[in-house]
Amino acid sequence: MSLKEELKKAGLTRVLFIRHANASPLGSKPKSDFHNAHDWKQNDQVRPLTDKGKEQAEEARRWFIEGVGLANNKVLVSSGARRAAETLQIMAERRESGTADVSIEMIPSLHPAGIAEPCELLFDRINYAPLTRYYAEEGGAKALEDYGLIVLGEFREMLARVSSKPGDTISMFGHAVFMNAAAMEFAKALDFPAKDIKNLTEVALGESEGISIECKEGAYKVLHMHTRGLASSNVTGHPLFG
């Protein structure tokens, strides 16, 4: 069964890829001082949001609650990293009860540590940048494609478990350019038009911002979800370009 067929069967029309808010640095100890990569990656998993990050997530809550709608989510999904889970909590909790009010799942590959080493090495060198910058590197496109396909595979396994839940949306909270890479593989698997694929390569996803991939009744839409430049309290999705 194709991804398009799986989404239709589950009544799912939208998947969001949300980058976590600003988090505390890894620490003063450089990666080279750790005994091995696993040691610093473990430390990386427990980095909390900064005060700035909490403010960012609170602001992003505007577009998430008003532009997406918490109740529209079948489930909320986080990587295993603390900063992604904290971003999810601030953006998606129902304030009256202090809970998310929608069940939460984890997709481990949303944090690439130990899963996609070529991507990690590229990120160590390039840092935050659109996919175009990564694709310009030798092996960059292949590395990010391989990673995105891992996320897609874990997503499809999860979807089989949660497909009967109400809602037409699944929101995933993860990391940096890796969310762009995952969104790209979803769009390709759903046969999005070439112009949308090209636009996705140029998205600079800011902290606590999201990419919305929508496929409904043959209509395709890619939105960049954020509150930058909004003068009013009315939040909607913003086309990536123009």
Side-chain angles (χ1 to χ4, degrees), residues 18-22 56-57 60 63 87 91 206-210 225:
I18 302 164
R19 179 182 164 190
H20 68 78
N22 186 264
Q56 288 176 332
W63 70 251
T87 303
M91 287 179 61
E207 292 171 332
S208 70
E209 295 182 359
M225 306 300 289

Side-chain angles (χ1 to χ4, degrees), residues 27 32 50 67 74 96 142 156 197 211 217:
S32 58
T50 61
K74 284 184 180 293
E96 297 78 20
K142 179 66 163 58
R156 294 174 84 163
I197 297 296
I211 295 172
E217 299 175 353

Side-chain angles (χ1 to χ4, degrees), residues 166-179:
D168 62 7
T169 300
I170 290 180
S171 299
M172 300 196 289
F173 293 76
H175 305 264
V177 70
F178 306 111
M179 298 309 287

Side-chain angles (χ1 to χ4, degrees), residues 155-166:
F155 174 89
R156 294 174 84 163
E157 291 176 3
M158 178 203 69
L159 182 60
R161 298 194 307 270
V162 306
S163 62
S164 62
K165 291 179 178 290

Side-chain angles (χ1 to χ4, degrees), residues 5 19 43 52 59-60 76 82 94 100 129 136 139 144 148 162 165 167 173 198 204 210 217:
E5 291 170 328
R19 179 182 164 190
N43 194 42
K52 174 183 177 181
E59 178 67 13
L76 302 166
R82 177 178 174 180
R94 190 175 296 281
L144 289 175
V162 306
K165 291 179 178 290
F173 293 76
K198 180 180 184 299
E217 299 175 353

Side-chain angles (χ1 to χ4, degrees), residues 51-67:
D51 288 342
K52 174 183 177 181
K54 292 175 182 177
E55 292 175 0
Q56 288 176 332
E58 185 66 40
E59 178 67 13
R61 179 180 170 83
R62 293 174 57 205
W63 70 251
F64 186 77
I65 297 298
E66 299 173 33

